[in-house]
Amino acid sequence: MKDLKLDDIRNQLIRQEETLIFSLIERAQFKFNEPIYLDAEIPIPGFEGCFCDYLLYETEKVHAKVRRYTSPDEEPFFTDLPDIVLPAVAYNVPLIPNAINVNADIMALYKDQILKQICQPGDCGNYGSSATCDVICLQALSKRIHYGKFVAEAKFQADEETYTALINARDAKGIEECLINKAVEAKVLARVESKATTYGQEPGEENPEFKVNPQAIAQIYEDYIIPLTIKVEVDYLLQRLDS
Amino acid sequence: MKDLKLDDIRNQLIRQEETLIFSLIERAQFKFNEPIYLDAEIPIPGFEGCFCDYLLYETEKVHAKVRRYTSPDEEPFFTDLPDIVLPAVAYNVPLIPNAINVNADIMALYKDQILKQICQPGDCGNYGSSATCDVICLQALSKRIHYGKFVAEAKFQADEETYTALINARDAKGIEECLINKAVEAKVLARVESKATTYGQEPGEENPEFKVNPQAIAQIYEDYIIPLTIKVEVDYLLQRLDS
């Protein structure tokens, strides 16, 4: 297994902040548009779920064919996906084999909480555009949060002794305490708010109106993204010595 | 036909600058990755073109089903697309019926020029991620450029007499001269460069390394986006009195 450097992973996570903030700002152009999240509200022949789920599922089918979910840093939201049509890639995967996938949690938080914090309430009728943005937001959130597997592996490699003892004791709480670094978290939150401030305004305006409240984006990190990432890290470490 | 206000359209175009700049910055994370633009270089069963085209085509098939191309401000790159699966929307289309579609030009400029101006040369192997970004860039470019139809209709409504005379004389050059406003263009280019400067750097860094050279993005506007938009406007006006 390849050695993982925590610094490389942090740089990846920092770059993913842009992707995530850009995608949330894009979604916030449109109102909440509730009908796209209500099952069967927009009737789709042969599909029982909501319009947002349908567009995500159809997109995942396309991306599955071009190998997206064979990559160790991608997890699909749907399970019933077609086989790849391209030759397989031999990844040098720096993780233990695992089936950790918290996308159901991500989807629930996105629809119930995150959207309401970034979008204006109401209905602007731009259902297709909104759902297209949703797909990009959900994929960015999923990638960011499942990157916790790499963080966990790097932290394990950096301190095998401590983690091995905790894992063997099945001490999830102890693992979590070991993983959490409040100083790093505070830096992430400050950086995210600063980026959201910069990217969410028109340059040169004197009293900029933010496209999304920058504190709301930092809050989404604090309340959902970081805790779910920690959950992925703990789940991964609990399985770390199984194989 | 609905009255079009040039100010509303300009605000739409200004908002689309973000979408476009964000999407180009996202693509620039990855190197040029030439194999995804070479026909048959990556073998795809049942598809003759390049990998980028395949992903775009498959994505357009999904979006066609959810009505994307029934919207008056969307034009597909491919013609052989499935029918909509949702009930049709009755748009109050403020344009004359037209079949103007410059996506072939956009695709050629994107692959031959724009990518080389925003991406580092070479191959980083992230083919799927790069092509996913390409799809978003191409869709954003296409929407922005075809918005010229709305600009042209608004300008026509604002000065029917002048344009009617030029259209009846089939004076494409005269129409173009009437449409071009160098002062507005200069403002667009300055604003785009300012946005690209703001969005393309990490906030708080002393000597920021830009993710994409901001002048390159302004240059893409000047060399490709604005001229193609003018082409759409002229083409639209030449057909304006046909129906």
Side-chain angles (χ1 to χ4, degrees):
Chain A
M1 200 146 61
K2 207 171 87 177
D3 274 2
L4 277 177
K5 294 214 184 69
L6 204 48
D7 273 355
D8 293 345
I9 296 168
R10 288 224 170 100
N11 285 334
Q12 264 297 320
L13 293 177
I14 289 172
R15 181 59 191 79
Q16 286 183 39
E17 288 163 6
E18 264 82 302
T19 304
L20 204 45
I21 294 169
F22 287 168
S23 69
L24 294 173
I25 290 173
E26 286 293 288
R27 176 60 182 88
Q29 292 175 81
F30 310 107
K31 292 192 175 174
F32 177 53
N33 291 333
E34 188 175 32
I36 65 181
Y37 308 107
L38 301 176
D39 286 353
E41 178 78 16
I42 298 167
I44 303 162
F47 190 81
E48 310 253 301
C50 68
F51 179 65
C52 170
D53 288 357
Y54 175 74
L55 192 62
L56 178 61
Y57 182 39
E58 292 296 310
T59 305
E60 287 203 334
K61 284 198 259 182
V62 172
H63 289 182
K65 290 198 282 179
V66 299
R67 299 189 291 225
R68 182 177 189 130
Y69 306 108
T70 67
S71 170
D73 60 359
E74 295 281 359
E75 290 294 334
F77 284 79
F78 290 86
T79 48
D80 183 21
L81 295 172
D83 291 334
I84 57 175
V85 300
L86 303 183
V89 175
Y91 288 102
N92 184 358
V93 182
L95 303 174
I96 57 152
N98 70 85
I100 294 161
N101 181 325
V102 297
N103 280 336
D105 296 317
I106 293 172
M107 179 61 94
L109 286 172
Y110 182 74
K111 287 180 184 165
D112 298 339
Q113 309 288 341
I114 293 175
L115 275 173
K116 286 166 189 158
Q117 289 168 30
I118 59 166
C119 296
Q120 285 176 19
D123 194 313
C124 63
N126 291 299
Y127 295 170
S129 302
S130 301
T132 306
C133 290
D134 288 334
V135 169
I136 296 170
C137 287
L138 286 162
Q139 289 180 327
L141 283 165
S142 177
K143 181 165 186 162
R144 167 60 178 76
I145 288 166
H146 288 105
Y147 231 78
K149 297 178 191 179
F150 294 84
V151 177
E153 179 61 35
K155 288 188 175 175
F156 177 84
Q157 288 182 14
D159 187 358
E160 277 203 47
E161 203 179 333
T162 305
Y163 282 108
T164 299
L166 290 164
I167 294 164
N168 285 332
R170 315 307 295 159
D171 183 357
K173 193 76 207 146
I175 294 172
E176 189 177 312
E177 277 163 17
C178 237
L179 289 168
I180 288 175
N181 182 333
K182 282 287 168 197
V184 170
E185 261 181 42
K187 262 168 82 173
V188 170
L189 295 177
R191 191 176 56 234
V192 164
E193 187 171 332
S194 160
K195 285 185 185 180
T197 305
T198 304
Y199 305 147
Q201 62 184 289
E202 295 282 316
E205 283 194 3
E206 284 204 15
N207 295 303
E209 240 190 80
F210 292 109
K211 298 189 188 85
V212 179
N213 176 356
Q215 278 109 43
I217 295 191
Q219 200 70 47
I220 288 166
Y221 259 81
E222 184 165 10
D223 293 345
Y224 312 121
I225 297 174
I226 293 174
L228 269 178
T229 307
I230 296 282
K231 178 176 156 49
V232 166
E233 293 177 33
V234 173
D235 287 354
Y236 177 85
L237 288 171
L238 285 172
Q239 298 179 20
R240 178 61 183 75
L241 302 175
D242 288 357
S243 48
Chain B
M1 201 146 62
K2 209 172 85 176
D3 275 3
L4 277 178
K5 293 214 185 70
L6 204 48
D7 272 356
D8 292 345
I9 295 168
R10 288 224 171 100
N11 285 334
Q12 264 296 320
L13 293 177
I14 289 172
R15 181 59 190 80
Q16 284 183 40
E17 288 163 6
E18 265 81 304
T19 304
L20 205 44
I21 294 169
F22 288 167
S23 70
L24 294 173
I25 290 173
E26 286 293 288
R27 176 59 182 86
Q29 291 174 82
F30 310 108
K31 293 192 176 173
F32 177 53
N33 292 332
E34 187 174 33
I36 64 181
Y37 308 107
L38 300 177
D39 287 354
E41 178 78 16
I42 298 167
I44 303 162
F47 190 81
E48 309 254 300
C50 69
F51 179 66
C52 170
D53 288 357
Y54 176 74
L55 192 63
L56 179 61
Y57 182 38
E58 292 296 311
T59 305
E60 288 204 333
K61 285 199 258 182
V62 172
H63 290 183
K65 289 197 282 179
V66 299
R67 297 190 292 225
R68 183 176 187 131
Y69 306 109
T70 67
S71 171
D73 61 359
E74 296 281 358
E75 292 293 334
F77 285 79
F78 290 85
T79 48
D80 183 21
L81 295 173
D83 292 333
I84 57 175
V85 299
L86 304 182
V89 175
Y91 287 102
N92 184 358
V93 182
L95 303 174
I96 57 153
N98 71 85
I100 295 161
N101 181 326
V102 298
N103 280 336
D105 296 319
I106 293 172
M107 179 61 93
L109 287 171
Y110 182 74
K111 287 180 185 166
D112 297 339
Q113 310 287 342
I114 293 175
L115 276 172
K116 286 167 190 159
Q117 289 168 30
I118 58 165
C119 296
Q120 285 177 19
D123 195 313
C124 64
N126 291 300
Y127 295 169
S129 301
S130 301
T132 307
C133 290
D134 288 334
V135 169
I136 296 170
C137 287
L138 287 163
Q139 289 179 327
L141 283 165
S142 177
K143 182 165 184 162
R144 168 60 178 75
I145 288 165
H146 289 103
Y147 231 80
K149 298 178 191 179
F150 294 85
V151 177
E153 178 61 35
K155 288 189 174 173
F156 177 84
Q157 288 181 15
D159 187 359
E160 278 203 47
E161 204 180 331
T162 305
Y163 282 108
T164 299
L166 290 164
I167 294 163
N168 285 333
R170 315 308 295 160
D171 183 357
K173 192 79 207 145
I175 295 172
E176 189 178 313
E177 277 163 19
C178 238
L179 288 168
I180 287 175
N181 183 332
K182 282 287 167 196
V184 169
E185 260 181 41
K187 262 168 83 171
V188 170
L189 295 177
R191 192 177 56 234
V192 164
E193 186 171 333
S194 160
K195 285 185 184 180
T197 304
T198 304
Y199 305 148
Q201 61 184 289
E202 294 284 315
E205 282 194 2
E206 283 202 16
N207 294 304
E209 238 190 81
F210 292 109
K211 297 189 189 84
V212 178
N213 176 357
Q215 278 109 42
I217 295 191
Q219 201 69 47
I220 288 167
Y221 259 80
E222 185 166 7
D223 294 345
Y224 312 121
I225 297 175
I226 293 175
L228 269 178
T229 307
I230 296 282
K231 179 176 157 50
V232 167
E233 293 177 32
V234 173
D235 288 354
Y236 178 85
L237 287 172
L238 284 172
Q239 298 179 19
R240 179 61 182 77
L241 302 174
D242 289 356
S243 49

